[in-house]
Amino acid sequence: MKGRERAVDVLVKLLAGEKITTDTNGKETYQVSERSLERDTKLIRETLADNDSAYQLQQKGKTYWLAKEGALSAEEILALLKIVIGTRSLTREELLRVKDSLLDLVADDERGSIQKLISNSLIHYTPLFSNGDKEILPWLKDFANWVSHKTPIKFHYRSSVPDAQGRALSKPGAGVPLSIYFADFYFYVVMYIPEINKSLVYRLDRFQDARATRAVVKVPGDKKIDEGALRNKTYLLSGGTDIPYEFRYWGYPQTALDKLPNSRITEWNREDGSVTIKGDHLASQGALLWVLSQGAQIQVVAPQSLVDSVKRELTKTMSYYD
């Protein structure tokens, strides 16, 4: 085996994760002197450096191996993994694949410490009950492709309201996916529905099936979604009709501001310790449940429709305790 051929063979083995030695074992494998093998390792080191490779040739005594420089820092990988684990939006199998892919981006000598820091979280990881064993990433891939190409689709979508027998109903539909965002544990798809000339929000995990069609659908300009606005969407800010709102809040103000992007404190009521929070885009879907979850820490001032809904729900709740 000639010098350059031997160097290529050594590099291939190093890339496969093997370690190469220039001692007796290495000399016997390649039937050359230790000096020849050292020239090979020098050539490999110089070639990697000249080509700005993500790999570096490491050496300890007469043993050589490749270490990969991290495409992302250890703290960035750790943050991403903790976020993904915390959302509980992926199945366990999907999470493990994502974990392995992210760890491949970090430097070899930092991978073990990250593994230890997430090991307990992985042991106790529990995916969302609504997802079950249904993988989300294939759906995410399909819808991302349809959004990119403005592809009309037909689908069946599982309603959140069961029938009298407790069964989840699946309804057919057709539309053009416009965008995808993530909020409060779930991925959402914004879709233009030509039948009603509106853009509606759908939860990704509730699609029973979906397929591209050859229909030609022109989405009106006023039905397209501003990507900047989507980044601030939550389940409180999607679905239904957007309306201005006003709350008095006695809890920690940042709790409400974090849940209601683009809201603002307009008044500090020092007598009772409350703050007045206002915003312009609150939808009925989800808002009632969030207000009720805050108990006596919140008072809805406007809209009146939400005030009435809270009163009805509290009256109904009190009837359970008569």
Side-chain angles (χ1 to χ4, degrees):
M1 187 180 291
K2 295 181 180 179
R4 289 189 176 274
E5 293 176 347
R6 186 178 58 250
V8 170
D9 187 77
V10 170
L11 178 57
V12 169
K13 289 180 178 178
L14 289 170
L15 288 170
E18 296 184 32
K19 292 185 177 181
I20 300 297
T21 62
T22 57
D23 59 10
T24 304
N25 290 334
K27 290 187 289 184
E28 289 180 354
T29 299
Y30 291 103
Q31 295 296 305
V32 293
S33 66
E34 180 178 329
R35 193 169 186 178
S36 295
L37 288 173
E38 288 177 347
R39 282 199 299 267
D40 294 340
T41 57
K42 180 181 178 182
L43 175 61
I44 290 171
R45 179 179 282 112
E46 292 174 348
T47 302
L48 292 173
D50 291 344
N51 290 276
D52 296 323
S53 172
Y55 290 94
Q56 289 184 334
L57 186 64
Q58 303 290 319
Q59 176 185 1
K60 185 175 182 180
K62 297 183 178 182
T63 302
Y64 296 81
W65 69 94
L66 284 182
K68 189 176 182 181
E69 293 181 355
L72 293 175
S73 68
E75 59 270 23
E76 290 169 333
I77 294 295
L78 180 60
L80 289 172
L81 283 170
K82 287 291 188 179
I83 290 170
V84 173
I85 293 170
T87 66
R88 298 171 52 214
S89 58
L90 304 180
T91 66
R92 174 173 290 277
E93 290 71 24
E94 286 181 308
L95 174 63
L96 294 176
R97 293 201 301 269
V98 169
K99 181 260 297 181
D100 290 341
S101 296
L102 287 174
L103 287 177
D104 281 343
L105 299 176
V106 76
D108 293 344
D109 58 350
E110 296 178 308
R111 196 169 298 152
S113 61
I114 296 178
Q115 288 269 29
K116 289 181 181 179
L117 289 169
I118 64 172
S119 60
N120 195 52
S121 299
L122 291 176
I123 292 172
H124 298 288
Y125 179 74
T126 304
L128 296 173
F129 176 79
S130 59
N131 285 5
D133 294 328
K134 180 180 178 181
E135 293 201 345
I136 291 297
L137 295 181
W139 280 114
L140 196 59
K141 178 181 179 181
D142 287 341
F143 274 93
N145 182 57
W146 293 331
V147 167
S148 297
H149 296 91
K150 300 180 177 62
T151 304
I153 67 170
K154 286 187 176 182
F155 58 87
H156 283 85
Y157 185 77
R158 189 180 73 249
S159 172
S160 60
V161 181
D163 64 9
Q165 286 72 43
R167 296 172 299 186
L169 300 177
S170 181
K171 298 180 179 179
V176 181
L178 302 179
S179 193
I180 303 171
Y181 67 95
F182 183 89
D184 301 294
F185 298 107
Y186 301 104
F187 290 97
Y188 293 89
V189 177
V190 180
M191 186 148 43
Y192 172 67
I193 309 300
E195 183 180 358
I196 58 175
N197 193 31
K198 287 184 178 180
S199 293
L200 303 179
V201 177
Y202 294 81
R203 224 173 73 183
L204 186 61
D205 60 294
R206 288 185 179 159
F207 283 93
Q208 298 295 96
D209 58 58
R211 61 180 177 84
T213 71
R214 295 190 178 185
V216 178
V217 179
K218 183 174 177 59
V219 181
D222 63 341
K223 305 303 177 186
K224 296 177 181 178
I225 302 298
D226 174 24
E227 289 291 333
L230 270 181
R231 283 192 289 272
N232 290 323
K233 285 281 186 181
T234 74
Y235 76 108
L236 300 180
L237 305 173
S238 61
T241 303
D242 284 352
I243 49 178
Y245 60 89
E246 180 179 346
F247 299 146
R248 288 187 70 186
Y249 196 70
W250 282 266
Y252 180 52
Q254 196 62 47
T255 300
L257 296 179
D258 287 346
K259 187 59 68 173
L260 302 164
N262 295 327
S263 61
R264 58 197 180 278
I265 295 175
T266 60
E267 185 179 357
W268 293 81
N269 308 302
R270 302 193 181 280
E271 291 184 4
D272 61 4
S274 68
V275 296
T276 299
I277 296 175
K278 291 184 178 181
D280 301 320
H281 303 290
L282 181 71
S284 57
Q285 182 178 343
L288 175 61
L289 292 177
W290 180 76
V291 168
L292 292 172
S293 75
Q294 299 303 297
Q297 294 187 116
I298 193 169
Q299 176 193 9
V300 180
V301 179
Q304 187 60 43
S305 59
L306 184 55
V307 173
D308 294 339
S309 294
V310 171
K311 287 181 177 179
R312 285 194 298 270
E313 197 69 18
L314 288 176
T315 301
K316 182 178 178 181
T317 300
M318 287 299 296
S319 70
Y320 297 152
Y321 298 94
D322 288 342

